Amino acid sequence: MKIIDAMGKACPVPVVLAKKAAAELALEGGEIQVLVDNQPACDNLKNMAEGNGYTAEEEMLHSGSYRVTIKVPAKAQEQLMIQSVKEGIPIRKKDSGLLVVVSKNYMGQGSEELGKILIKGFLFSLTQLETPPKAVLFFNSGVLLTVEGANTLDDLLELEKAGTQIKICGTCADYYSVKSTLGVGQIVNMMAITEQMASAGSVINI
């Protein structure tokens, strides 16, 4: 049995840790217990488990503390692939044409404070994709996510290590006076950004 202490971990970290543990148990099967401190994390863990053919049970330990027990059947990955073929579900193919465009240092509309938490979670999630994006482009206040000391820098360095191109608008870096403190990526001009967007297989705009 694997025990994962995800107390205090922001979404999607509990799910990512559980998925990694499940992958290690895929051949022989086993049980995973994940400790979390909020109901949304429980729901996300159960959804992940059910979506992958596992079973999951939630238990409240005390106020604000939960344990989600996930049972991974033996040869789970093999069984899922066989089931996918039977149901005519295509197995995901590698695609290096994904381009992610980040135009601000927070995600979505509404609370900017919440948006900064979300963009951190989003960039971390990109590092967990089976195939990383071909490139991530940053412009306007999005360039602030690439500077030394930013809580997103480690995730971007991990993406770059995996082969993702990190590109930063030079005009924007000058505007925010951060060109000398960039911790990752390369400076590009707007023409290079436009050409990359135009040639991308698919684009996610944040």
Side-chain angles (χ1 to χ4, degrees):
M1 179 178 66
K2 293 180 177 292
I3 299 177
I4 299 172
D5 185 355
M7 300 288 287
K9 302 291 187 182
C11 173
V13 175
V15 170
V16 170
L17 295 176
K19 288 181 70 175
K20 287 183 177 179
E24 294 174 1
L25 296 174
L27 290 179
E28 298 181 358
E31 186 175 285
I32 305 165
Q33 290 187 353
V34 188
L35 306 177
V36 293
D37 57 6
N38 61 87
Q39 186 61 52
C42 293
D43 295 338
N44 290 337
L45 286 164
K46 289 188 292 184
N47 289 337
M48 181 279 292
E50 293 169 5
N52 285 279
Y54 314 146
T55 60
E57 295 181 358
E58 171 191 334
E59 175 186 0
M60 177 180 282
L61 301 179
H62 51 77
S63 180
S65 178
Y66 305 84
R67 176 167 55 209
V68 179
T69 301
I70 300 171
K71 294 182 179 179
V72 181
K75 299 185 179 179
Q77 297 297 332
E78 180 180 336
Q79 292 170 4
L80 286 174
M81 290 182 68
I82 292 173
Q83 186 65 26
S84 295
V85 171
K86 287 181 177 179
E87 296 177 0
I89 301 172
I91 298 173
R92 180 168 54 174
K93 297 179 180 179
K94 292 186 179 296
D95 178 10
S96 61
L98 175 61
L99 173 66
V100 179
V101 181
V102 182
S103 61
K104 54 185 185 294
N105 64 332
Y106 60 95
M107 189 175 188
Q109 304 298 323
S111 168
E112 187 172 327
E113 181 181 4
L114 172 60
K116 290 181 178 180
I117 296 173
L118 296 178
I119 194 65
K120 163 62 178 173
F122 174 75
L123 292 175
F124 170 73
S125 296
L126 290 181
T127 69
Q128 303 302 306
L129 293 178
E130 180 181 342
T131 304
K134 180 177 181 179
V136 183
L137 306 183
F138 293 90
F139 60 93
N140 211 319
S141 64
V143 302
L144 299 177
L145 300 170
T146 68
V147 301
E148 296 174 358
N151 69 347
T152 49
L153 183 59
D154 286 345
D155 298 321
L156 297 179
L157 288 169
E158 189 69 23
L159 281 171
E160 190 173 57
K161 182 179 178 181
T164 298
Q165 302 169 16
I166 307 297
K167 298 189 176 182
I168 301 150
C169 168
T171 301
C172 306
D174 283 334
Y175 180 85
Y176 287 100
S177 301
V178 297
K179 186 173 287 186
S180 63
T181 61
L182 294 176
V184 66
Q186 65 178 116
I187 294 290
V188 295
N189 58 40
M190 187 54 68
M191 190 64 212
I193 291 175
T194 303
E195 290 175 344
Q196 184 115 40
M197 293 177 71
S199 63
S202 57
V203 179
I204 295 177
N205 284 289
I206 301 300

